[in-house]
Amino acid sequence: MFESVAPELILWPVAAHLALVVFLYVWLTAARAIAVSKGETAYNDFQFGDGDSLSAARVSRNLSNQFEAPVLFYALAAILFATDAVTPAQLALAWLFIAGRLAHTAVQTLTGNVRLRGQIFTINFLALIAMWALFLYSRLVQ
């Protein structure tokens, strides 16, 4: 159950999350640049060419969310890597966490569906807690 895999494999979900953060920074910068070019000082909302509006504030809030629960993910990924404790279960949970972060970003930035966002966050949180539980169990109980 706790057999190790190559510790470098945990870096792929970390890299995927970093790519998401970079993407959000680029998106937010572009959204604000568009708003400023239109003379808007608040730049909370901007329009796409087809008249669809999108809240730059949503993107900003989602970017802030990427530095909340994911901090616990980064800490554990570093510990797993450093202690050569990456297991197939840890890796699967890490990818589940990242898939959830991507889904959470899509729901928070593109919709106003708070209920769905909460459900996705719950999945993220449970994956993260399971990762920590597996690690702590393997170190403290076995």
Side-chain angles (χ1 to χ4, degrees), residues 16-51:
H17 187 260
L18 286 171
L20 173 62
V21 169
V22 168
F23 170 77
L24 287 168
Y25 271 117
V26 170
W27 187 2
L28 184 59
T29 301
R32 289 180 172 172
I34 290 168
V36 168
S37 74
K38 292 181 177 182
E40 299 170 13
T41 55
Y43 55 77
N44 283 335
D45 293 319
F46 63 96
Q47 300 284 323
F48 286 112
D50 59 4

Side-chain angles (χ1 to χ4, degrees), residues 10 13 73 89-99 127 131:
I10 199 66
F73 171 73
Q90 293 284 13
L91 204 51
L93 289 165
W95 280 115
L96 177 62
F97 179 76
I98 296 306
M131 285 181 72

Side-chain angles (χ1 to χ4, degrees), residues 2-115:
F2 294 106
E3 58 198 52
S4 293
V5 296
E8 296 81 21
L9 292 177
I10 199 66
L11 298 178
W12 285 106
V14 169
H17 187 260
L18 286 171
L20 173 62
V21 169
V22 168
F23 170 77
L24 287 168
Y25 271 117
V26 170
W27 187 2
L28 184 59
T29 301
R32 289 180 172 172
I34 290 168
V36 168
S37 74
K38 292 181 177 182
E40 299 170 13
T41 55
Y43 55 77
N44 283 335
D45 293 319
F46 63 96
Q47 300 284 323
F48 286 112
D50 59 4
D52 222 3
S53 72
L54 179 65
S55 173
R58 285 184 188 175
V59 178
S60 180
R61 284 190 301 270
N62 186 262
L63 183 57
S64 293
N65 290 159
Q66 302 309 323
F67 297 97
E68 294 171 359
V71 170
L72 298 173
F73 171 73
Y74 283 123
L76 182 56
I79 293 168
L80 291 170
F81 179 79
T83 60
D84 198 22
V86 180
T87 66
Q90 293 284 13
L91 204 51
L93 289 165
W95 280 115
L96 177 62
F97 179 76
I98 296 306
R101 294 308 316 170
L102 291 167
H104 185 267
T105 292
V107 171
Q108 185 173 17
T109 58
L110 301 175
T111 77
N113 193 335
V114 177
R115 184 180 178 140

